[in-house]
Amino acid sequence: MTPGSNIPLSAARVTVDVSAPVRLDVSGLLLTGDGKVRSDDDFIFYNQPSGPGVTYRSGGGTAPDAVTVDTAAVPPEIEKIVVTASPDAAGQTFQGIEPTATIRDADGGAVLATFTPPQLGTETALVVVEIYRRGGQWKARAVGQGYANGLAGIATDFGVTVEEPARAERARASGAAKCRGRDRRPRAGTPPAAPA
């Protein structure tokens, strides 16, 4: 695939593997029509590996991390699932280590498409691909949109806020955020109350 291209999905369950020459943090965000998550439950990653219709699997450093989408189980108000990646090493950019997303039939394993964003530079996080619903049909789009401000940039765009360092430190001390030694734990902001 090339940036911006899309394909119809021939399988109801697809897995997106994201690999690179370095270890990556991969996640999936379930987005409504306004391009935002509804709550914490819509952010799927190493600390929260399953949500409505979407699961995360760690490759453990020896295989690619992956996000699986069961399109039949995705809530009707969710229009797209974006698959993101950032290097595990803090501050590392994607220059020279462009990731490859492989979209597979989750049940049979057949490769449906691959995408490698071309010529990255200062990006420290990427929206790699998205699985989206259009006219009742599920499709995959190659995106490759980069962010120079890491996971926080992606979080801000999709309505997720990054926990403050002091709060993350307290959570880590209590054992709540322990996972591969990471300091950052994105979480969704509280949605505004509905008007009366």
Side-chain angles (χ1 to χ4, degrees), residues 92-163:
Q92 182 171 11
T93 71
F94 275 109
Q95 187 167 16
I97 57 163
E98 287 80 5
T100 295
T102 303
I103 303 168
R104 305 176 189 277
D105 177 331
D107 298 317
V111 173
L112 305 177
T114 61
F115 170 61
T116 303
Q119 299 176 337
L120 298 174
T122 60
E123 297 88 349
T124 55
L126 289 172
V127 172
V128 187
V129 298
E130 62 186 28
I131 306 298
Y132 68 102
R133 190 185 339 231
R134 182 69 47 84
Q137 163 105 37
W138 283 94
K139 299 182 176 185
R141 176 181 292 123
V143 181
Q145 179 184 352
Y147 293 77
N149 52 349
L151 191 57
I154 291 175
T156 301
D157 267 9
F158 297 127
V160 179
T161 55
V162 177
E163 200 168 78

Side-chain angles (χ1 to χ4, degrees), residues 1 24 39 52 78 89 95 134 149 153 161 173 182 189-190:
M1 297 178 77
L24 299 176
S39 72
I78 297 299
Q95 187 167 16
R134 182 69 47 84
N149 52 349
T161 55
R182 297 185 173 133
T190 303

Side-chain angles (χ1 to χ4, degrees), residues 18 24-29 43-45 67 81-86 94 125-129 147 151 154-155 158:
V18 185
L24 299 176
D25 290 336
V26 175
S27 60
L29 293 102
F43 186 73
I44 311 305
F45 68 122
V67 172
I81 295 93
V82 295
V83 177
T84 70
S86 58
F94 275 109
L126 289 172
V127 172
V128 187
V129 298
Y147 293 77
L151 191 57
I154 291 175
F158 297 127

